[in-house]
Amino acid sequence: MLIVGNWKAYVDDAKQAKELVVLARRVAASGKHRVIVAPPAPYLGLLSKKGKSKLSFAAQDVSSAAGGARTGETTAAMLADFGVSYVIVGHSERRREGETDTLVATKAGQAFAAGLIPILCIGEKARDIDAQYLKELRAQLNAVITAVPQKHRAKIIVAYEPVWAIGKSALDAIQPGDLAEMVLYIRKALSEHVPAKEAAKMKVIYGGSVEPANIASLAKEGLVDGFLVGHASAEVKSFAALIKAFAA
Protein backbone atom coordinates (compact mmCIF):
# COMPACT_ATOMS: atom_id res chain seq x y z
CA MET A 1 0.00 0.00 0.00
CA LEU A 2 1.07 3.53 -0.79
CA ILE A 3 0.71 6.30 1.79
CA VAL A 4 1.18 9.90 0.69
CA GLY A 5 1.25 12.48 3.47
CA ASN A 6 0.36 15.95 2.20
CA TRP A 7 1.30 18.31 5.02
CA LYS A 8 -0.18 21.30 3.16
CA ALA A 9 0.62 24.44 5.22
CA TYR A 10 -0.14 22.83 8.58
CA VAL A 11 3.54 22.35 9.42
CA ASP A 12 5.26 25.66 10.08
CA ASP A 13 8.33 24.85 12.14
CA ALA A 14 11.41 22.76 11.42
CA LYS A 15 11.21 20.74 14.65
CA GLN A 16 7.74 19.43 13.83
CA ALA A 17 8.82 18.69 10.24
CA LYS A 18 11.81 16.66 11.43
CA GLU A 19 9.69 14.69 13.92
CA LEU A 20 7.22 13.79 11.20
CA VAL A 21 10.00 12.66 8.89
CA VAL A 22 11.49 10.44 11.62
CA LEU A 23 8.11 8.71 11.98
CA ALA A 24 7.63 8.43 8.23
CA ARG A 25 11.13 6.97 7.78
CA ARG A 26 10.37 4.38 10.44
CA VAL A 27 7.17 3.33 8.68
CA ALA A 28 8.94 3.20 5.32
CA ALA A 29 11.83 1.19 6.79
CA SER A 30 9.43 -1.56 7.89
CA GLY A 31 8.89 -2.41 4.24
CA LYS A 32 5.16 -2.94 4.80
CA HIS A 33 4.12 0.27 3.06
CA ARG A 34 5.56 2.66 0.50
CA VAL A 35 5.61 6.11 2.08
CA ILE A 36 5.82 9.52 0.41
CA VAL A 37 5.68 12.82 2.29
CA ALA A 38 4.93 16.22 0.79
CA PRO A 39 6.23 18.97 3.10
CA PRO A 40 5.83 22.68 2.37
CA ALA A 41 8.41 23.74 -0.23
CA PRO A 42 10.82 25.51 2.20
CA TYR A 43 11.35 22.25 4.10
CA LEU A 44 12.13 20.06 1.09
CA GLY A 45 15.79 21.06 0.98
CA LEU A 46 16.09 20.56 4.73
CA LEU A 47 14.58 17.08 4.79
CA SER A 48 14.93 15.33 1.46
CA LYS A 49 18.69 14.77 1.35
CA LYS A 50 19.29 13.46 4.87
CA GLY A 51 20.91 10.13 4.08
CA LYS A 52 19.61 6.99 2.41
CA SER A 53 16.08 5.92 3.22
CA LYS A 54 13.09 4.13 1.73
CA LEU A 55 11.10 7.30 2.37
CA SER A 56 10.33 9.36 -0.73
CA PHE A 57 9.47 13.04 -1.06
CA ALA A 58 6.88 14.88 -3.10
CA ALA A 59 6.32 18.55 -3.81
CA GLN A 60 2.86 19.96 -3.18
CA ASP A 61 2.95 21.90 -6.45
CA VAL A 62 5.27 22.72 -9.35
CA SER A 63 5.70 25.54 -11.82
CA SER A 64 4.11 25.20 -15.25
CA ALA A 65 7.31 26.64 -16.76
CA ALA A 66 10.82 25.24 -17.04
CA GLY A 67 12.40 28.41 -15.67
CA GLY A 68 13.17 32.00 -16.57
CA ALA A 69 11.31 35.12 -15.46
CA ARG A 70 8.89 33.36 -13.10
CA THR A 71 9.22 35.12 -9.75
CA GLY A 72 8.23 32.98 -6.79
CA GLU A 73 7.88 29.71 -8.70
CA THR A 74 9.61 26.38 -8.12
CA THR A 75 10.47 24.41 -11.24
CA ALA A 76 10.49 20.65 -11.61
CA ALA A 77 14.25 20.70 -12.22
CA MET A 78 14.81 22.47 -8.90
CA LEU A 79 12.72 19.87 -7.11
CA ALA A 80 14.58 16.99 -8.75
CA ASP A 81 17.89 18.54 -7.71
CA PHE A 82 16.78 18.41 -4.08
CA GLY A 83 15.95 14.71 -4.18
CA VAL A 84 12.21 15.05 -4.78
CA SER A 85 10.70 12.14 -6.73
CA TYR A 86 7.01 13.04 -6.99
CA VAL A 87 4.83 16.10 -7.37
CA ILE A 88 1.16 16.59 -6.56
CA VAL A 89 -0.74 18.19 -9.44
CA GLY A 90 -4.38 19.21 -9.68
CA HIS A 91 -5.12 19.14 -5.97
CA SER A 92 -8.66 20.32 -5.23
CA GLU A 93 -7.30 23.28 -3.26
CA ARG A 94 -5.26 24.39 -6.27
CA ARG A 95 -8.23 23.91 -8.59
CA ARG A 96 -10.32 26.00 -6.21
CA GLU A 97 -7.82 28.82 -6.71
CA GLY A 98 -8.45 28.70 -10.45
CA GLU A 99 -6.18 25.95 -11.78
CA THR A 100 -7.63 24.56 -15.00
CA ASP A 101 -7.32 21.08 -16.46
CA THR A 102 -5.01 22.53 -19.12
CA LEU A 103 -2.68 24.02 -16.50
CA VAL A 104 -2.66 20.75 -14.55
CA ALA A 105 -1.69 18.89 -17.73
CA THR A 106 1.16 21.35 -18.36
CA LYS A 107 2.47 20.85 -14.83
CA ALA A 108 2.35 17.08 -15.24
CA GLY A 109 4.38 17.46 -18.42
CA GLN A 110 6.97 19.56 -16.59
CA ALA A 111 7.20 16.90 -13.91
CA PHE A 112 7.90 14.12 -16.41
CA ALA A 113 10.45 16.29 -18.24
CA ALA A 114 12.47 16.50 -15.01
CA GLY A 115 12.10 12.82 -14.16
CA LEU A 116 9.41 13.32 -11.51
CA ILE A 117 6.22 11.28 -11.18
CA PRO A 118 2.94 13.24 -11.03
CA ILE A 119 0.37 12.38 -8.38
CA LEU A 120 -2.71 13.50 -10.28
CA CYS A 121 -5.64 14.57 -8.12
CA ILE A 122 -9.12 14.26 -9.59
CA GLY A 123 -12.52 14.47 -7.94
CA GLU A 124 -16.03 15.77 -8.34
CA LYS A 125 -17.31 18.78 -6.40
CA ALA A 126 -20.72 17.21 -5.76
CA ARG A 127 -22.84 14.24 -6.79
CA ASP A 128 -26.07 14.38 -8.75
CA ILE A 129 -28.74 11.75 -9.39
CA ASP A 130 -27.99 11.76 -13.12
CA ALA A 131 -24.32 10.90 -12.48
CA GLN A 132 -23.11 13.91 -14.46
CA TYR A 133 -20.25 14.13 -11.98
CA LEU A 134 -18.64 11.20 -13.77
CA LYS A 135 -18.15 13.46 -16.80
CA GLU A 136 -16.34 15.97 -14.58
CA LEU A 137 -14.08 13.23 -13.27
CA ARG A 138 -13.34 11.84 -16.72
CA ALA A 139 -12.57 15.32 -18.11
CA GLN A 140 -10.00 15.94 -15.37
CA LEU A 141 -8.36 12.59 -16.04
CA ASN A 142 -8.42 12.79 -19.83
CA ALA A 143 -6.98 16.32 -19.92
CA VAL A 144 -3.75 15.10 -18.37
CA ILE A 145 -3.38 11.57 -19.67
CA THR A 146 -3.91 12.60 -23.30
CA ALA A 147 -1.42 15.46 -22.97
CA VAL A 148 1.56 13.34 -21.89
CA PRO A 149 3.46 10.90 -24.11
CA GLN A 150 2.23 7.31 -24.19
CA LYS A 151 5.45 6.07 -22.58
CA HIS A 152 4.75 8.13 -19.43
CA ARG A 153 1.03 7.55 -18.94
CA ALA A 154 1.20 4.35 -16.89
CA LYS A 155 3.57 6.02 -14.41
CA ILE A 156 0.94 8.52 -13.25
CA ILE A 157 -0.44 7.96 -9.75
CA VAL A 158 -4.13 8.86 -9.71
CA ALA A 159 -5.45 10.28 -6.43
CA TYR A 160 -9.24 10.28 -6.26
CA GLU A 161 -10.32 13.01 -3.84
CA PRO A 162 -14.03 13.86 -4.03
CA VAL A 163 -14.39 17.45 -2.87
CA TRP A 164 -17.71 16.76 -1.16
CA ALA A 165 -16.06 14.20 1.14
CA ILE A 166 -13.25 16.45 2.36
CA GLY A 167 -13.50 17.75 5.92
CA LYS A 168 -16.18 15.31 7.04
CA SER A 169 -16.13 12.64 9.70
CA ALA A 170 -15.42 9.03 8.81
CA LEU A 171 -19.15 8.25 9.04
CA ASP A 172 -20.13 11.00 6.60
CA ALA A 173 -17.27 10.51 4.13
CA ILE A 174 -17.24 8.04 1.25
CA GLN A 175 -18.13 4.44 2.07
CA PRO A 176 -15.94 1.49 1.00
CA GLY A 177 -18.47 0.14 -1.51
CA ASP A 178 -18.87 3.54 -3.19
CA LEU A 179 -15.12 3.96 -3.30
CA ALA A 180 -14.69 0.56 -4.94
CA GLU A 181 -17.15 1.57 -7.67
CA MET A 182 -15.24 4.77 -8.33
CA VAL A 183 -11.90 2.97 -8.51
CA LEU A 184 -13.34 0.57 -11.09
CA TYR A 185 -14.67 3.52 -13.08
CA ILE A 186 -11.29 5.27 -13.00
CA ARG A 187 -9.50 2.12 -14.12
CA LYS A 188 -11.96 1.74 -16.99
CA ALA A 189 -11.28 5.33 -18.03
CA LEU A 190 -7.52 4.73 -17.82
CA SER A 191 -7.77 1.63 -20.01
CA GLU A 192 -9.02 3.83 -22.85
CA HIS A 193 -5.62 5.52 -23.03
CA VAL A 194 -3.24 2.94 -21.58
CA PRO A 195 -2.88 -0.75 -22.53
CA ALA A 196 -5.11 -2.87 -20.29
CA LYS A 197 -2.23 -4.68 -18.56
CA GLU A 198 -0.53 -1.39 -17.74
CA ALA A 199 -3.77 0.28 -16.65
CA ALA A 200 -4.41 -2.58 -14.21
CA LYS A 201 -1.06 -1.91 -12.54
CA MET A 202 -1.43 1.86 -12.25
CA LYS A 203 -1.73 3.17 -8.71
CA VAL A 204 -5.13 4.59 -7.77
CA ILE A 205 -5.19 6.06 -4.27
CA TYR A 206 -7.85 7.85 -2.24
CA GLY A 207 -7.94 11.15 -0.36
CA GLY A 208 -10.85 12.70 1.51
CA SER A 209 -11.43 12.50 5.27
CA VAL A 210 -9.13 9.52 5.80
CA GLU A 211 -9.02 8.84 9.54
CA PRO A 212 -8.05 6.00 11.90
CA ALA A 213 -11.78 5.16 12.08
CA ASN A 214 -12.16 4.39 8.38
CA ILE A 215 -8.74 3.74 6.85
CA ALA A 216 -8.78 -0.02 7.48
CA SER A 217 -12.20 -0.59 5.89
CA LEU A 218 -11.38 1.65 2.93
CA ALA A 219 -8.13 -0.25 2.39
CA LYS A 220 -9.78 -3.65 2.66
CA GLU A 221 -12.96 -3.04 0.64
CA GLY A 222 -12.30 0.10 -1.40
CA LEU A 223 -10.01 -1.51 -4.02
CA VAL A 224 -7.49 1.32 -3.63
CA ASP A 225 -3.71 1.05 -3.75
CA GLY A 226 -3.22 3.54 -0.96
CA PHE A 227 -4.14 6.93 0.44
CA LEU A 228 -3.45 10.63 0.08
CA VAL A 229 -3.70 11.92 3.64
CA GLY A 230 -3.92 15.60 4.52
CA HIS A 231 -4.25 17.03 8.02
CA ALA A 232 -3.88 13.66 9.77
CA SER A 233 -0.38 13.30 8.29
CA ALA A 234 0.78 16.68 9.58
CA GLU A 235 0.77 15.86 13.29
CA VAL A 236 2.91 13.12 14.83
CA LYS A 237 0.18 11.69 17.10
CA SER A 238 -2.54 11.61 14.45
CA PHE A 239 -0.21 10.21 11.80
CA ALA A 240 0.98 7.50 14.20
CA ALA A 241 -2.65 6.64 15.05
CA LEU A 242 -3.50 6.46 11.37
CA ILE A 243 -0.62 4.10 10.63
CA LYS A 244 -1.52 1.92 13.61
CA ALA A 245 -5.15 1.64 12.49
CA PHE A 246 -4.05 0.91 8.94
CA ALA A 247 -1.69 -1.83 10.07
CA ALA A 248 -4.38 -3.41 12.23
Side-chain angles (χ1 to χ4, degrees):
M1 279 280 182
L2 174 62
I3 301 174
V4 182
N6 178 16
W7 299 357
K8 305 187 181 185
Y10 292 118
V11 179
D12 58 5
D13 72 81
K15 181 181 178 181
Q16 182 184 3
K18 290 176 181 178
E19 289 175 349
L20 283 166
V21 163
V22 168
L23 173 59
R25 287 190 195 281
R26 189 159 62 242
V27 175
S30 71
K32 295 179 180 178
H33 308 295
R34 185 170 151 209
V35 184
I36 302 170
V37 293
Y43 296 124
L44 282 170
L46 173 68
L47 303 170
S48 61
K49 286 193 170 182
K50 297 296 183 180
K52 294 182 179 180
S53 169
K54 292 183 178 180
L55 177 67
S56 298
F57 287 84
Q60 296 180 15
D61 192 19
V62 66
S63 176
S64 60
R70 309 284 292 200
T71 300
E73 302 220 4
T74 304
T75 67
M78 294 175 193
L79 295 172
D81 193 43
F82 271 99
V84 173
S85 302
Y86 302 86
V87 60
I88 299 172
V89 296
H91 193 279
S92 61
E93 291 163 1
R94 302 301 309 168
R95 293 181 187 272
R96 189 174 64 212
E97 295 298 318
E99 239 178 55
T100 64
D101 290 337
T102 300
L103 182 56
V104 174
T106 301
K107 289 185 174 186
Q110 289 293 335
F112 276 127
L116 306 180
I117 302 298
I119 300 172
L120 170 62
C121 298
I122 61 173
E124 71 276 12
K125 298 181 184 68
R127 292 196 164 188
D128 59 284
I129 58 174
D130 297 322
Q132 292 299 305
Y133 63 89
L134 294 177
K135 292 183 179 180
E136 179 184 4
L137 199 71
R138 187 179 285 264
Q140 292 174 353
L141 183 65
N142 288 354
V144 173
I145 204 161
T146 58
V148 301
Q150 181 73 44
K151 64 180 180 180
H152 291 321
R153 293 176 181 177
K155 300 175 185 177
I156 295 172
I157 297 172
V158 179
Y160 172 56
E161 50 156 16
V163 179
W164 58 266
I166 296 173
K168 295 187 176 181
S169 68
L171 291 176
D172 296 324
I174 198 166
Q175 298 303 302
D178 294 330
L179 177 56
E181 290 181 358
M182 294 306 300
V183 171
L184 291 173
Y185 179 80
I186 291 168
R187 289 203 179 280
K188 181 180 178 181
L190 288 171
S191 68
E192 296 174 3
H193 305 286
V194 180
K197 288 185 178 180
E198 293 183 17
K201 294 179 181 179
M202 290 179 69
K203 297 295 184 184
V204 179
I205 63 178
Y206 172 72
S209 300
V210 180
E211 302 175 0
N214 65 354
I215 191 170
S217 61
L218 291 174
K220 184 178 180 180
E221 304 168 38
L223 301 183
V224 290
D225 298 305
F227 298 93
L228 174 63
V229 185
H231 188 259
S233 73
E235 296 178 357
V236 173
K237 288 184 178 179
S238 61
F239 191 36
L242 194 75
I243 297 299
K244 183 177 181 180
F246 185 35

